[in-house]
Amino acid sequence: MKATADHSFRPRSFRLGRYRGLIIALIVFSLLLLLNNLMSPGPMSYFEFSFMSTGGATLAIAAAGQTLVILTGGFDLSAGAAISLVNVLLATNMPDTPMGIFLWSLAGIGIGMTIGAFNGLFIAFFRLQPIVVTLSTMFITQGLTLLVLDKPGGMVPAGLSEVLVYDAIPNVLPMPVVVLGILILLWLWLKNTRFGTSVYAIGSDMDAARAQGIRVRWVQFMVYVLAGGCYGFAGVFVSAQTGAGDPLVGNSMLLQVFGAVVVGGTVLGGGRGGAVGSIVGAYILMIVVNILLVLNVSAYYSTVAEGCILILAVLAGALGRHAPAARGLRRFVARLKARHAGTLPGQSNRLPQRLVLPGIGGGRAAGALPSFTARHAETIRYALPAYVCFVLVVLMTQFVTGNALFHGGYYNSLLVLSSFLLVLALGQGTVILTGGLDLSVPWTIALCGILLAGIVNGQNGPLIYALPIVLAIGCAIGLVNGFGITMLGISPIVMTLAMNGILQGVALLYSQGTPAGFSSPLMRWFMTSKEEFVTPVVIFILLFVVAAVVLHKRTSFGRRIYALGNGERVSALSGINVNRTTMLVYMLSGFCSALVGCMLTGFSGQASLGMGDDYLLPSIAVVVVGGTLITGGRGSYVGMVGGVLLLTALQTLLAGTMLPYATRIIIFGLVVLAAVVTLREREG
């Protein structure tokens, strides 16, 4: 009888634990709503209730779609771009007739599902990493959006607003509440179907789910299709809300979407959470922003607040003895004790034993060293395609323009334009080699460029201390990223995405929306002048490439990078300080991003907001195209150099053909996908 009682008790406690995140989200939402009401001059009116329900609905719908993806252990960075594409298509094509509004609304949902199917195809059936696929899709979709509408404009018929935004029952029930109610009912139905059970099973343990007969690939594919449908519907709703088209309307929502999902109690990595919590999380974020506005806090703080909330929510969702932060603290204490006792691997007094291989060790008489091609077979195999394609692009450029192959100015310009990506490739490439990713690159570049221009303000004198300060700030940003990833156990994607939002807010606050100052004349000379037909930065970048190759291949730090990418647990057992190495890797990425910010400021003469946005996908693209495995452990900086030269030469060729910027973005995204598909690891 006792066993029966225990058995009947455990499921109830288990169910309560499953809904802990949702319960906490509802409590936080209630407290924030109460605080917002207390700060208002009177009780909440129907107008305020209606305004609030409308304001958070787009984010709530998109967050519900993202929840499905995260429950399976994936990520979808294309959500904001899908919303933007649907918005501009409706604003430029939707007719002002009831049937036209209905059909184009369905078309908007269908467009989102098509984008999701594109993601699902490569993730589920080609077994590619969700982060790379959805990032590429994001840029391809952004390019398509700009081809449709390159600036705010167009008009959405008022009939769409009447259906989705106005009152369902006048002065009683706003229509957005009905829409979200229907969405919640659909979710509650879906999660109790066999498909919904499969989603949770895959997120909890994919191998176990496959062993139970679940068709994992088809479930993953359908998850991205359904998520895309939610993004499409979010695009329809924001069109009804704004009444116009804006190609950038979804860009700012990416951080908010992840924040809403995490705040709502869904665990990153999959297996626990739900769309109801994500909808509540969306309104939590909206109320926080409203409270800041009531307190007359600058709107520039919004991205800082969203980034901090995302980090805090991840930490709160991982509280407990077995949380990564708790484990990290225990490891740190154990390492201190081991150091005090002198038992760390590095404190051993034994001399290292040299590994002697037959025919190699014991001096040259024992046998000849393997040939160069044998020693570097893997590097040649994965890096050579980038260089071959680079030569083909140069030949094509010669055919189109007639002044590339034997023209020194072409190569000088090519190296100047390549210099930014060559520096970024070292930082981003090193992070990828360890199995991570740095999404804070764009606003690290922008913030550091803005800081340098503001400090030097067109003078050479302050450069002597301004440049080291700015580079140190870049290292500090990387250190914070590394600390959050190693010591707090936050996913690299989430940590660096949140940091990017925080840095955006810091840059806006520092510049007050209008960056001041100019680059020093010395930096302008360094980046743009020609001395004996060679720009000074070309000499610097050649030395930089040599130093980067040595760092990766000839130093203990480089060997630790590759070891970490091939297995964190094995690296730790081998005596490698995983946490310190990871922190150094992200510090290197922050340093490289800061250096690129300084170089861009010198190249253009001044800094600008968003000057780093165009470098996120290329910084990943050149690494992947150069043969580096996106999951880490395989690749070389030599290959990354080939990727930089290839994509820069391709960009130069496309610029010569007068193709619009949007088309170049699409081509970049397709090139990355093609490279990942071609160079991915084959299943045994």
Side-chain angles (χ1 to χ4, degrees):
M1 294 296 292
K2 184 178 180 179
T4 304
D6 290 344
H7 180 74
S8 64
F9 173 75
R10 287 174 184 170
R12 283 196 292 269
S13 63
F14 176 71
R15 285 195 295 269
L16 184 62
R18 280 172 51 191
Y19 296 112
R20 184 183 65 178
L22 174 60
I23 293 170
I24 294 174
L26 287 171
I27 293 172
V28 172
F29 172 74
S30 301
L31 293 175
L32 288 174
L33 192 61
L34 177 62
L35 178 61
N36 185 70
N37 196 38
L38 291 174
M39 295 173 63
S40 301
M44 179 178 290
S45 64
Y46 175 78
F47 172 78
E48 291 173 322
F49 173 62
S50 177
F51 180 80
M52 182 179 295
S53 64
T54 304
T58 300
L59 178 59
I61 296 167
Q66 187 71 244
T67 303
L68 273 171
V69 174
I70 291 180
L71 283 174
T72 62
F75 282 92
D76 191 348
L77 300 179
S78 65
I83 292 171
S84 297
L85 178 59
V86 172
N87 171 240
V88 299
L89 284 172
L90 265 59
T92 54
N93 293 280
M94 179 177 278
D96 193 4
T97 63
M99 183 57 67
I101 291 173
F102 175 73
L103 292 177
W104 271 97
S105 297
L106 291 180
I109 297 173
I111 290 165
M113 296 179 73
T114 302
I115 295 172
F118 184 83
N119 286 330
L121 174 67
F122 286 96
I123 293 169
F125 297 107
F126 284 84
R127 300 294 184 89
L128 302 184
Q129 287 296 309
I131 181 66
V132 180
V133 174
T134 58
L135 185 67
S136 300
T137 304
M138 179 181 78
F139 280 89
I140 293 170
T141 307
Q142 284 180 348
L144 293 173
T145 302
L146 292 173
L147 287 177
V148 175
L149 191 67
D150 60 354
K151 58 185 177 182
M155 185 179 68
V156 178
L160 185 62
S161 299
E162 294 175 1
V163 174
L164 294 178
V165 177
Y166 293 167
D167 291 345
I169 303 177
N171 298 319
V172 175
L173 183 64
M175 193 63 197
V177 175
V178 176
V179 171
L180 293 178
I182 294 172
L183 186 63
I184 290 172
L185 290 175
L186 288 173
W187 163 251
L188 294 176
W189 167 78
L190 181 67
K191 71 175 295 188
N192 289 298
T193 63
R194 185 175 180 179
F195 175 81
T197 304
S198 300
V199 169
Y200 281 94
I202 291 172
S204 299
D205 191 328
M206 185 178 295
D207 292 330
R210 187 177 288 110
Q212 290 294 322
I214 294 175
R215 301 175 67 185
V216 172
R217 295 190 183 187
W218 277 106
V219 172
Q220 283 183 310
F221 175 78
M222 287 306 302
V223 159
Y224 282 92
V225 172
L226 292 175
C230 288
Y231 308 149
F233 185 48
V236 174
F237 193 92
V238 79
S239 301
Q241 186 179 3
T242 61
D246 184 353
L248 304 178
V249 69
N251 288 14
S252 61
M253 294 184 64
L254 186 59
L255 177 61
Q256 297 173 340
V257 166
F258 279 100
V261 172
V262 175
V263 169
T266 297
V267 177
L268 296 176
R272 195 177 77 195
V276 178
S278 300
I279 292 172
V280 176
Y283 281 93
I284 288 175
L285 293 181
M286 188 196 67
I287 294 175
V288 168
V289 173
N290 287 345
I291 291 174
L292 292 176
L293 293 175
V294 171
L295 294 174
N296 291 322
V297 177
S298 172
Y300 296 150
Y301 280 101
S302 60
T303 57
V304 177
E306 290 162 0
C308 292
I309 289 172
L310 177 55
I311 293 173
L312 292 174
V314 171
L315 294 178
L319 290 177
R321 174 178 173 78
H322 300 290
R327 292 199 303 267
L329 180 61
R330 290 196 296 270
R331 284 197 299 266
F332 178 73
V333 173
R335 189 172 182 84
L336 287 179
K337 291 180 179 179
R339 180 179 295 279
H340 180 72
T343 57
L344 286 176
Q347 295 175 303
S348 174
N349 293 324
R350 292 179 299 173
L351 293 175
Q353 300 294 318
R354 184 182 178 189
L355 180 64
V356 180
L357 300 177
I360 297 179
R364 292 186 178 273
L369 287 172
S371 65
F372 176 86
T373 54
R375 295 199 309 273
H376 301 281
E378 185 179 85
T379 300
I380 294 173
R381 175 187 173 188
Y382 292 107
L384 187 60
Y387 287 95
V388 172
C389 292
F390 166 65
V391 173
L392 293 176
V393 172
V394 172
L395 292 174
M396 191 179 302
T397 305
Q398 172 67 25
F399 176 78
V400 173
T401 65
N403 61 350
L405 192 59
F406 304 105
H407 193 271
Y410 169 78
Y411 296 104
N412 179 76
S413 300
L414 183 68
L415 288 174
V416 171
L417 295 175
S418 299
S419 62
F420 311 110
L421 285 177
L422 286 170
V423 174
L424 283 179
L426 175 61
Q428 186 74 272
T430 304
V431 170
I432 291 175
L433 281 172
T434 63
L437 200 66
D438 190 353
L439 300 182
S440 66
V441 164
W443 281 96
T444 303
I445 292 174
L447 176 61
C448 291
I450 290 169
L451 289 174
L452 182 69
I455 295 173
V456 301
N457 199 22
Q459 302 177 37
N460 286 329
L463 193 64
I464 193 170
Y465 61 83
L467 191 59
I469 289 174
V470 170
L471 295 178
I473 290 173
C475 291
I477 292 170
L479 178 62
V480 174
N481 280 333
F483 180 85
I485 293 165
T486 58
M487 302 305 295
L488 302 181
I490 302 174
S491 163
I493 297 172
V494 174
M495 183 66 210
T496 56
L497 179 64
M499 177 59 71
N500 195 58
I502 293 171
L503 294 176
Q504 179 181 357
V506 172
L508 289 169
L509 287 167
Y510 175 81
S511 65
Q512 290 300 302
T514 307
F518 298 92
S519 173
S520 65
L522 183 60
M523 285 295 294
R524 287 285 292 165
W525 170 84
F526 179 73
M527 293 300 304
T528 60
S529 70
K530 284 190 177 182
E531 303 294 332
E532 300 296 331
F533 305 104
V534 176
T535 304
V537 71
V538 172
I539 306 299
F540 165 78
I541 209 64
L542 293 176
L543 296 175
F544 182 91
V545 168
V546 173
V549 172
V550 171
L551 177 69
H552 271 196
K553 293 296 185 182
R554 300 294 181 183
T555 65
S556 60
F557 175 68
R559 289 188 288 273
R560 292 197 298 270
I561 291 169
Y562 284 93
L564 193 58
N566 282 293
E568 183 177 314
R569 178 65 175 167
V570 175
S571 300
L573 293 174
S574 301
I576 294 175
N577 190 326
V578 173
N579 289 349
R580 183 172 63 186
T581 302
T582 303
M583 288 185 186
L584 288 174
V585 164
Y586 281 90
M587 288 177 68
L588 177 62
S589 180
F591 173 85
C592 291
S593 298
L595 180 57
V596 169
C598 298
M599 293 167 62
L600 280 171
T601 302
F603 185 76
S604 61
Q606 60 185 10
S608 61
L609 296 171
M611 63 189 287
D613 289 346
D614 295 339
Y615 287 90
L616 177 58
L617 178 63
S619 71
I620 300 170
V622 297
V623 175
V624 175
V625 171
T628 299
L629 190 65
I630 194 65
T631 53
R634 189 199 78 194
S636 66
Y637 186 73
V638 172
M640 298 174 199
V641 171
V644 172
L645 294 176
L646 168 60
L647 291 186
T648 306
L650 180 62
Q651 188 176 27
T652 303
L653 175 61
L654 294 175
T657 60
M658 302 303 292
L659 286 174
Y661 170 73
T663 305
R664 297 202 293 271
I665 293 179
I666 296 171
I667 292 174
F668 259 67
L670 292 174
V671 167
V672 175
L673 273 181
V676 174
V677 171
T678 304
L679 300 173
R680 74 187 191 279
E681 280 191 326
R682 309 293 178 181
E683 296 183 13

